[in-house]
Amino acid sequence: MSRVRLDVRGILGPDGALAAALPGYEFRPSQLELAEAVTQALDEGHALLAEAGTGTGKTLAYLVPAVLSKKRVIVSTATRTLQDQVFSKDIPLLRDALGLDVDASLLKGRTNYLCGLKFESFERLPTFARPEEAALWPAFRDWAMQTATGDRAETAVPEAWSGWSQVSTTSEACLGSKCPYAEGCFVNRARKRAAEAQVVVVNHALFLADLSLRQRGGDFELRVLPPADAVVFDEAHALEDVATEYFGTTCASSRLFALSKDALEALEPLDPRAASLTALALSLRSRSDSFFAEVVEVLGLSDSKDARLLPESLTRLRGASAPVRSTLEALAAACPEDDEALGALHRRAAESAAALAQVLEADDPTQAYWAQARGRTVSLRAAPIDVGDALAKHLYAQLDSVVFTSATLATPAGPGRPPSFDFAVERLGLTGRDWRALSVPSPFDYPQQAALYLPRHLPEPSDPEWTKSFAREVYALVKLTGGRAFVLFTSLRHLDAVHALVAPHLEVPVLKQGELPKWTLLETFLQRPSVLFASQSFWEGVDVPGEALSLVVIDRLPFAPPGEPLQAARMEAVRAKGESPFDAYQVPQAALALRQGFGRLIRTRTDRGIVALGDTRVLTKRYGKVFLESLPPAKRVQRFDEVQAFWAAKQPRAVAEAGAAVGEEG
């Protein structure tokens, strides 16, 4: 084939190169339409909002134009799992099956790479909390001695393996060019490769961390992304939350504890500076513990209750923070910035002192200020109320083209009208800029593949009897499908209550979020028919194709708690513009979240199953239509006997396929 003549139609079209290279290739008109829109955005230099239904093949729809453009394009994904898939599966497909010259690199955050300095130190005396963790060390050590990339994704160690934190480092603790291992550093190698590549695959967290460093004029050594002509954000619906995290400011007890620990270990005992540094480190730990204990007491924090920082509490906390700030300043002064052993401590102490002062000053009306407790960590936080302003100022001015793509970007605009991108445009800071929008449908046959069960007989969630009624419905549905179910909740409290009522009576294995690491839960779920009780982290970014997942039950409409500090600040900002926070912000936000939850069920053309929603407000309230119109056109049923009929009609094929699969496996 002639590479010179290849364009998106020549690759993705019905008689294109991909169809010729892959047996059984299925042409998808929506994929080609999306690819042509991405090509136009890259050629003309505008923003594109592209909603692509599940199964469209959006990854190749943006990769092909990116490669053909010959521009430097950064591809940013919402998760490291998707990032690895794009780099290790989709890009090799273009390179190998089509003979395309794809110059691509993979780049992750520092904590994903082996640190030579930390590994050398840990290898001298590797210690683990549990014997089963120690058993993984020999194989891991062999990998560490041979790896060319240092990327944790190459290893077989579980997500929760404690050894990884001992052999990797953070940007805060990294010594940069002063590190004796700087020349062979895996991060430096990956960054150098990225600077040479045409397509760089990253994730949202790394992209926005790097952008926030540029915004703040951060140390060039710590910035890892090369300049680019364009960026493609895959799973762009997650971008606002990640941007909120990285454009904000945080002073956390865990960060100060880590700083004091590293200060204690920075110098050899015989170093003449060690005694004074040790005294400062111990003082920081003691004063930090006392201060954050007072934060919890003053604000009444708990794992489920965050608190806004208001004038009456700020006055007391500013006074209480003075000893911590003075210790941080003294620690920074005791650690010369240009000292090889102490330079990183200087930077960390100075940044922590500045963050603490900034959050407690709380004088920027464009920011929300609050405190939260998660386990043993207490954090004081500030975040932009509108991340769109920060994106407009620091991102769009630097790039020719920006492409946002996801299965959930648009919200219903009313009967007979196309979906509206207004909510996404405002949240992403595109108002007044040159942007285009495209919505391409999923190729799935939702009326045949899925039933949406809306049990009208349930009381509303505010009713005291709702939890018991919903639990009975969950039990009946799980019995019907024999497990193979996700039961998704909008709060941990609801999860615990329903789990306690249902789990003891189920005959299939029952899994619960929090009892095991996320990916261990998913692996266990796939091994045999099970039911998983989970909350927000399983609403998106989880891909379980096939009959292993045949039922998704959602407890209620996923409205974010209006009393949550950042949510409350954003609602106030909408109200200040003369709009209804409920209609203009809460409803579209929740509708997009509900679509993500629904999207867990149907992942391929052969998937089939049931989505059940236990919130009758979707049928009785005026805003319910917005939610229903936002969902794929599954067969809607309101009685349990209709669910039974749908399930029975789909079972012969599903059971036959399951039997064939078991036979193939031996």
Side-chain angles (χ1 to χ4, degrees), residues 115-330:
C115 170
L117 184 63
K118 295 283 290 290
F119 176 78
E120 180 189 55
S121 174
F122 187 68
E123 188 188 21
R124 295 191 196 112
L125 186 63
T127 55
F128 299 90
R130 297 187 299 275
E132 57 268 27
E133 290 201 327
L136 299 171
W137 173 250
F140 178 85
R141 184 184 179 280
D142 290 344
W143 168 82
M145 304 298 281
Q146 301 173 38
T147 178
T149 68
D151 186 348
R152 177 179 180 165
E154 296 178 351
T155 75
V157 297
E159 190 77 15
W161 188 58
S162 64
W164 183 256
S165 64
Q166 305 298 320
V167 298
S168 64
T169 192
T170 64
S171 59
E172 286 185 333
C174 177
L175 299 179
S177 59
K178 300 179 181 66
C179 177
Y181 286 85
E183 187 174 341
C185 173
F186 292 116
V187 173
N188 290 343
R189 289 183 189 177
R191 187 172 79 171
K192 182 179 179 181
R193 177 70 190 98
E196 300 166 346
Q198 184 224 335
V199 176
V200 184
V201 185
V202 304
N203 54 62
H204 296 348
L206 178 61
F207 186 94
L208 289 161
D210 185 78
L211 187 63
S212 68
L213 278 171
R214 294 173 189 270
Q215 169 203 347
R216 299 170 186 175
D219 186 342
F220 181 77
E221 284 188 356
L222 301 179
R223 294 175 1 206
V224 297
L225 298 188
D229 302 306
V231 61
V232 176
F233 291 110
D234 197 346
E235 301 296 327
H237 64 274
L239 197 62
E240 183 181 14
D241 286 344
V242 182
T244 298
E245 184 75 25
Y246 285 96
F247 284 124
T249 301
T250 300
C251 182
S253 60
S254 58
R255 190 171 297 178
L256 297 191
F257 179 86
L259 175 58
S260 68
K261 178 177 180 292
D262 291 345
L264 286 171
E265 299 171 353
L267 297 174
E268 295 295 332
L270 296 180
D271 190 298
R273 302 168 293 174
S276 59
L277 190 63
T278 297
L280 284 170
L282 293 175
S283 177
L284 175 61
R285 182 172 299 181
S286 173
R287 290 177 169 183
S288 173
D289 288 346
S290 297
F291 169 66
F292 283 106
E294 186 154 1
V295 170
V296 172
E297 180 184 343
V298 170
L299 300 175
L301 295 182
S302 67
D303 275 2
S304 60
K305 183 184 177 184
D306 298 349
R308 292 183 76 173
L309 296 175
L310 301 173
E312 54 270 25
S313 57
L314 281 167
T315 300
R316 182 172 169 182
L317 293 179
R318 286 175 190 141
S321 72
V324 179
R325 282 185 287 164
S326 64
T327 307
L328 286 167
E329 291 163 0

Side-chain angles (χ1 to χ4, degrees), residues 344-537:
L345 293 177
H346 171 91
R347 183 183 69 248
R348 292 166 63 188
E351 288 177 352
S352 293
L356 182 57
Q358 180 183 337
V359 175
L360 292 180
E361 194 63 33
D363 59 352
D364 185 348
T366 68
Q367 300 268 317
Y369 299 90
W370 75 101
Q372 65 182 38
R374 298 291 184 270
R376 296 181 179 180
T377 298
V378 181
S379 303
L380 296 173
R381 302 190 60 187
I385 294 171
D386 184 357
V387 299
D389 289 343
L391 291 173
K393 183 177 180 181
H394 302 291
L395 174 61
Y396 306 139
Q398 301 176 18
L399 296 164
D400 294 335
S401 310
V402 183
V403 175
F404 303 91
T405 183
S406 170
T408 54
L409 282 178
T411 54
R417 297 169 60 191
S420 170
F421 288 84
D422 291 349
F423 183 74
V425 166
E426 183 171 357
R427 304 311 304 171
L428 294 172
L430 291 170
T431 304
R433 296 184 173 272
D434 184 14
W435 61 272
R436 318 287 165 80
L438 174 71
S439 181
V440 293
S442 168
F444 299 153
D445 186 355
Y446 280 102
Q448 292 298 316
Q449 291 184 249
L452 174 60
Y453 176 40
L454 306 169
R456 180 180 285 274
H457 58 274
L458 290 182
E460 288 192 2
S462 58
D463 190 296
E465 292 300 311
W466 176 81
T467 299
K468 291 181 180 178
S469 299
F470 177 70
R472 284 193 289 269
E473 210 69 40
V474 169
Y475 175 76
L477 286 164
V478 172
K479 288 281 286 184
L480 176 66
T481 60
R484 298 180 284 185
F486 278 4
V487 187
L488 303 177
F489 294 84
T490 53
S491 79
L492 294 175
R493 182 173 59 84
H494 297 154
L495 188 161
D496 290 338
V498 176
H499 176 270
L501 290 169
V502 177
H505 305 288
L506 293 176
E507 297 175 358
V508 296
V510 177
L511 306 169
K512 184 182 179 186
Q513 181 178 330
E515 293 180 343
L516 293 168
K518 181 176 180 178
W519 299 112
T520 304
L521 287 172
L522 283 174
E523 290 170 4
T524 306
F525 182 86
L526 288 168
Q527 289 172 2
R528 57 184 294 197
S530 309
V531 55
L532 170 64
F533 289 77
S535 64
Q536 299 294 114
S537 64

Side-chain angles (χ1 to χ4, degrees), residues 423 557-560 562 567-568 570-575 578-591 615 617 621-627:
F423 183 74
L557 296 175
F559 287 110
Q567 184 80 357
R570 287 177 170 165
M571 290 168 61
E572 289 170 7
V574 173
R575 187 179 294 110
E579 298 178 288
S580 162
F582 185 74
D583 293 326
Y585 180 63
Q586 290 178 277
V587 169
Q589 181 190 48
D615 193 335
R617 291 176 297 176
K621 302 296 184 183
R622 62 171 180 81
Y623 56 81
K625 291 182 179 180
V626 177
F627 288 93

